[in-house]
Amino acid sequence: MLKGKQATLSDVSRLAGCSKAVASTVLNKARGNTGVSEQMRRRVLDAAARLDYRPNFASQSLIRRSSRTVGVYISPAPWAGAGFPYEGAVLRGTEASCRKHGYDLHILNLSGDCETQVCLDNLARRRVDGILLLHAERGDPWIRQMVQRRANVVAVDYPHAEPGLDAIRFDNRMAMELAVGHLVELGHSRIGFLGSCTNPQSADAAVREEAFLHFASARGLAVRPEWVHNLQNVRQPIRREEPVCTLEGLYGIEHLLGLADRPTAVIAYGDLVAVSALQAMHNRRMDLPREMSILGVDDSEICCYVHPPLTSVRHPLEEMGRRATDLLIARAEGKTRDGAAGKAEKGIHETFEPTLAVRESTAAPFAPSAG
């Protein structure tokens, strides 16, 4: 090992007794017409180990015009950030894909409060080979600007059809079909819904509410308007800087329990809303699920740590994060969506289907004995 300075490719080639081109072929997997025997390859690797040689990242990036880095941008919101369960699940999948392909992961907006210019700057400076977008909002002009500048952008859990924007989606309608079907099969015919109470409403929550009403009707159920708690009947609109899901669950279940003719089961548009409602019912010392069945969406880790454990529709965020990253890396390397040679088409939209995780928070409706 050289003392006082970092070993260079010239040092390795000198010790191994070969040209720089041969050393580069072995150490950097350089493409070209330089053939290398197995004996020479071992001599180069041995020389590199003895000199503690490390390729220069900046030089390699310039040569291959790639940073081999994936950026993740979390749109600014009080309830968004890499430390939250939703984003954490997506990032686990992203990290697994990066590790598989030999890429680094760069979180551009760790706390969820940086402005969108950071995406444009990182793309322009080639600091990243592409960006995954979380919580992107429909119609945001900066999304269109990024797509126009460079195609290496994939939106995760983005339900809209944005021309030229690759998107990995979740089938929210099927999620409600599973939820309603499960409760109907248990014998429930009076089902409520805890929806979004912010202005504007959560896009996912709005789709789930509409789908709930559709599939309830398809099952022959009559859903009374007061059984759906949302922005129209909340006691006061919830501000985005407040603990949104906690208040939506609390206000919603208090509304339903205050009705003279209340439902026997309730679907919350998200797990955190359901958990908040569950806690409020515990505070009333209700016998669950005997007095009220409750079901959430996302199947987050918290479902197993509440009592009773929460039945939930699984939202495969980790798998979606992994697939989005695979797609982004394939496009960055000039490959098709399946990783084969050839450029991928623009505007790829893939949808992940939900599954139902049945636990102890749902049961048949209680039927009082005749005696």
Side-chain angles (χ1 to χ4, degrees), residues 128-364:
V128 296
D129 290 337
I131 293 178
L132 298 183
L133 304 178
L134 274 65
H135 303 303
E137 295 288 343
R138 185 176 191 175
D140 281 344
W142 62 275
I143 294 179
R144 173 55 31 201
Q145 190 177 359
M146 282 201 297
V147 171
Q148 290 172 347
R149 288 192 179 192
R150 188 168 179 176
N152 290 8
V153 179
V154 180
V156 182
D157 216 9
Y158 188 76
H160 313 297
E162 185 82 26
L165 176 65
D166 296 337
I168 302 300
R169 302 169 168 176
F170 175 63
D171 195 335
N172 283 304
R173 292 185 60 80
M174 185 177 177
M176 289 298 99
E177 184 178 15
L178 291 175
V180 171
H182 171 64
L183 293 174
V184 169
E185 289 168 8
L186 287 174
H188 292 277
S189 59
R190 302 155 59 83
I191 304 174
F193 186 84
L194 301 182
S196 172
C197 299
T198 58
N199 188 14
Q201 289 183 291
S202 159
D204 283 339
V207 173
R208 292 171 190 176
E209 181 179 321
E210 185 277 328
F212 161 72
L213 293 172
H214 171 82
F215 289 111
S217 176
R219 289 277 190 163
L221 305 183
V223 179
R224 299 187 177 186
E226 62 268 26
W227 290 354
V228 177
H229 186 260
N230 54 26
L231 185 60
Q232 278 64 52
N233 56 7
V234 66
R235 65 171 72 169
Q236 60 188 40
I238 299 171
R239 299 188 304 274
R240 288 169 65 89
E241 62 269 19
E242 294 183 290
V244 174
C245 294
T246 299
L247 295 179
E248 286 172 333
L250 174 62
Y251 294 167
I253 202 65
E254 287 181 345
H255 167 79
L256 294 181
L257 295 178
L259 299 174
D261 187 21
R262 69 192 192 194
T264 60
V266 61
I267 298 171
Y269 82 84
D271 285 340
L272 295 180
V273 178
V275 168
S276 175
L278 197 67
Q279 183 60 50
M281 289 189 284
H282 275 308
N283 292 342
R284 290 178 174 236
R285 301 188 181 278
M286 291 178 65
D287 185 4
L288 305 176
R290 182 174 178 270
E291 294 183 69
M292 178 76 76
S293 286
I294 186 165
L295 183 153
V297 180
D298 284 337
D299 193 31
S300 49
E301 292 181 6
I302 196 173
C303 293
C304 296
Y305 298 104
V306 295
H307 181 75
L310 183 67
T311 295
S312 184
V313 179
R314 184 168 181 267
H315 190 170
L317 292 168
E318 186 169 337
E319 291 91 331
M320 292 170 69
R322 184 182 300 113
R323 177 55 185 152
T325 310
D326 285 345
L327 181 58
L328 186 144
I329 291 174
R331 188 181 291 286
E333 296 181 348
K335 299 176 181 178
T336 68
R337 67 165 74 187
D338 298 319
K343 290 187 177 181
E345 66 273 25
K346 294 183 178 181
I348 294 173
H349 300 145
E350 296 184 4
T351 301
F352 278 65
E353 295 184 351
T355 54
L356 186 65
V358 179
R359 299 188 179 90
E360 298 170 30
S361 68
T362 52

Side-chain angles (χ1 to χ4, degrees), residues 12-13 15-19 21-23 25-27 34-47:
V12 175
S13 64
L15 182 60
C18 66
S19 68
V22 168
T25 298
V26 175
L27 298 174
T34 306
V36 182
S37 67
E38 179 61 22
Q39 181 180 14
M40 178 57 71
R41 189 183 73 85
R42 290 179 180 176
R43 281 169 53 186
V44 171
L45 292 176
D46 179 65

Side-chain angles (χ1 to χ4, degrees), residues 53-118:
Y53 170 78
R54 296 289 184 272
N56 184 281
F57 178 82
S59 298
Q60 285 190 321
S61 296
L62 286 173
I63 292 170
R64 64 191 177 212
R65 296 178 61 83
S66 167
S67 66
R68 296 192 70 80
T69 301
V70 169
V72 176
Y73 181 76
I74 304 169
S75 294
W79 36 262
F84 287 82
Y86 175 98
E87 292 82 355
V90 175
L91 287 172
R92 284 196 297 273
T94 298
E95 182 185 31
S97 175
C98 287
R99 192 184 309 116
K100 178 180 70 174
H101 294 287
Y103 275 63
D104 292 328
L105 178 61
H106 179 41
I107 301 177
L108 306 176
N109 193 15
L110 182 65
S111 60
D113 60 2
C114 290
E115 293 304 321
T116 57
Q117 187 62 38
V118 70

